[in-house]
Amino acid sequence: MAASATPLPTLTTKELTSDQEVRWCPGCGDYSILAQMRKALTTVGVPREKLAFVSGIGCSSRFPYYMNTYGFHTIHGRAPTFATGLRLANPDLQVWVVTGDGDGLSIGGNHLIHALRRNVDIKVLLFNNEIYGLTKGQYSPASRVGTSSKTSPGGSFETPVRPLSLALAAEATFVARTIDVDVQHMVATFQKAAAHKGSAFVEIYQNCKIFNDGVFEYATDKSVKAENVLYLEHGKPMLFGKDRSKGIRMSGLKPEVVTVGKDCGLDDILTHDEAAEDPTLAYLLSRFAHDETPNVANPFPEPVGVYRSVRKPTYEEQLEARITEAAAKKGKGKIEDLFKAEDVWTVAE
Ligand SMILES: Cc1ncc(C[n+]2csc(CCOP(=O)(O)OP(=O)(O)O)c2C)c(N)n1
Ligand code: SF4
């Protein structure tokens, strides 16, 4: 960096804290996410007036009130759409979307897919508690099969949406997962999402203490976590387990869990490449789901970390280029001229 470069602005967590009373249930995972977001933003170098949080409807959607930045509590499922408009109108802003699994994957599913596929430069945080919290515990599109809730008293039987598979299928250019109690990992993941140019999608496993308590215990309980979670690190072999002796190997088109030194050598273990242009392998990782069936021989761990991070032209960059191209061809236009252009007719009375 040149010696004369302007230093990046720094913020304190206090400066990022609003005067609003936080109204989540005691023990809710949302508190930790809020605290880690404030921490992450202290170092990303964006001043408060250039930060905006946009949410839809749900418990998680109260988030913008608690950040001392710009904030918009919009309508159910439409935060990605609102955020797209905000970015296009003011490309100087860093725009974060906060959504829940119900808000983002049910009523807002379509909006989420299209914001991601367009590669709008927004950062989407999906707080996944696998339940509708605000409406008091109905099952959501992310609830696993058998979830007993007020709207599925006999246990849900629908195939759940896997948020990361959906984001990858929509061609999101940054896709990651983190966990509410994994505080350092969460801060680092938010900072990586902030640094990404293009649409970033981060799924956060969030505990809803009241309506779905402990649903991610396999990934948070210290006594079993190492066996159930695979921390993805770019350029490193996919190893996990207490002594990191287990790993992921490909057998043809199928992944398998193997023990290094017993079933194979370290060279046989897949190396994680978050920058791979092709999202196929990332998609395959997004299919690993914790298996609660007793005595499964080699259960797959759930990968946490950055699945994919690639640079592609953003929607804003492409739009800007299109405007410049049109202006070069046709000159700078006027909105009235557009209104009065072709295909204008008067309806006879
Ligand atoms: C148009 C519309 N339909 C339904 C609702 C009811 N509603 C409010 S929040 C919500 C879902 C909340 O669940 P989730 O997004 O998982 O967020 P959480 O509360 O768990 O953070 C629903 C269905 C609404 N507010 N508006
Ligand atoms: S209902 Fe669940 S998600 Fe909502 S505030 Fe309470 S614990 Fe959190």
Side-chain angles (χ1 to χ4, degrees):
M1 195 192 287
S4 61
T6 318
L8 291 175
T10 51
L11 291 166
T12 61
T13 50
K14 204 166 163 225
E15 284 169 318
L16 287 159
T17 304
S18 77
D19 61 359
Q20 299 296 297
E21 185 196 342
V22 182
R23 291 209 212 144
W24 286 314
C25 308
C28 175
D30 289 358
Y31 286 98
S32 170
I33 306 176
L34 178 64
Q36 303 339 309
M37 174 51 78
R38 289 182 185 145
K39 229 180 262 171
L41 289 181
T42 58
T43 59
V44 301
V46 181
R48 275 188 316 138
E49 66 275 15
K50 297 248 161 87
L51 285 165
F53 282 81
V54 183
S55 64
I57 300 294
C59 295
S60 63
S61 294
R62 298 192 57 77
F63 201 91
Y65 295 110
Y66 309 140
M67 293 296 296
N68 195 15
T69 60
Y70 284 108
F72 305 86
H73 189 182
T74 72
I75 48 176
H76 201 16
R78 302 316 188 248
T81 315
F82 189 97
T84 300
L86 192 61
R87 265 292 302 170
L88 293 183
N90 189 347
D92 270 356
L93 293 181
Q94 182 175 94
V95 179
W96 294 81
V97 168
V98 175
T99 184
D101 45 305
D103 185 58
L105 301 175
S106 187
I107 190 169
N110 200 27
H111 297 262
L112 180 65
I113 289 170
H114 294 288
L116 297 180
R117 96 178 153 78
R118 289 180 177 134
N119 202 24
V120 183
D121 193 357
I122 56 175
K123 292 101 193 36
V124 182
L125 304 178
L126 187 128
F127 293 25
N128 188 3
N129 53 22
E130 295 190 6
I131 208 85
Y132 288 177
L134 190 74
T135 48
K136 299 193 165 37
Q138 299 86 0
Y139 78 114
S140 91
S143 299
R144 63 198 68 181
V145 173
T147 299
S148 172
S149 76
K150 290 181 180 153
T151 46
S152 57
S156 64
F157 49 81
E158 292 170 27
T159 304
V161 172
R162 296 170 197 256
L164 297 188
S165 299
L166 183 92
L168 287 160
E171 305 289 341
T173 50
F174 181 96
V175 176
R177 175 187 284 147
T178 187
I179 306 178
D180 60 3
V181 291
D182 225 335
V183 293
Q184 280 164 2
H185 189 269
M186 200 179 354
V187 171
T189 308
F190 291 166
Q191 288 169 337
K192 286 177 195 169
H196 180 71
K197 191 119 188 80
S199 56
F201 181 84
V202 181
E203 177 189 28
I204 308 157
Y205 281 171
Q206 177 246 326
N207 194 43
C208 172
K209 183 85 186 148
I210 307 300
F211 297 111
N212 214 10
D213 194 24
V215 76
F216 299 115
E217 211 160 71
Y218 62 89
T220 55
D221 179 337
K222 286 200 173 77
S223 64
V224 290
K225 177 181 165 157
E227 303 303 315
N228 294 329
V229 175
L230 161 66
Y231 282 91
L232 297 172
E233 290 174 273
H234 182 61
K236 303 246 175 90
M238 295 183 201
L239 293 172
F240 69 103
K242 251 195 190 107
D243 50 6
R244 288 177 67 78
S245 63
K246 292 188 207 161
I248 308 297
R249 175 175 75 175
M250 290 303 286
S251 169
L253 285 177
K254 278 180 117 180
E256 58 183 7
V257 172
V258 285
T259 304
V260 180
K262 182 169 152 248
D263 305 317
C264 64
L266 191 58
D267 287 353
D268 296 313
I269 301 298
L270 269 180
T271 298
H272 182 48
D273 179 9
E274 65 186 29
E277 185 68 12
D278 186 323
T280 309
L281 209 52
Y283 183 81
L284 189 140
L285 291 173
S286 76
R287 306 276 307 160
F288 291 9
H290 179 67
D291 193 340
E292 297 199 325
T293 325
N295 309 319
V296 181
N298 284 315
F300 279 103
E302 287 191 351
V304 160
V306 178
Y307 281 58
R308 185 167 200 234
S309 179
V310 293
R311 176 73 168 103
K312 291 198 170 164
T314 64
Y315 186 84
E316 299 89 310
E317 287 166 341
Q318 295 184 86
L319 185 67
E320 191 53 43
R322 187 53 62 88
I323 293 169
T324 311
E325 194 184 297
K329 256 194 223 151
K330 300 190 173 179
K332 217 166 176 244
K334 277 209 253 148
I335 198 94
E336 302 108 274
D337 294 345
L338 255 187
F339 276 131
K340 291 179 191 151
E342 295 130 57
D343 296 336
V344 174
W345 63 93
T346 308
V347 179
E349 280 177 27

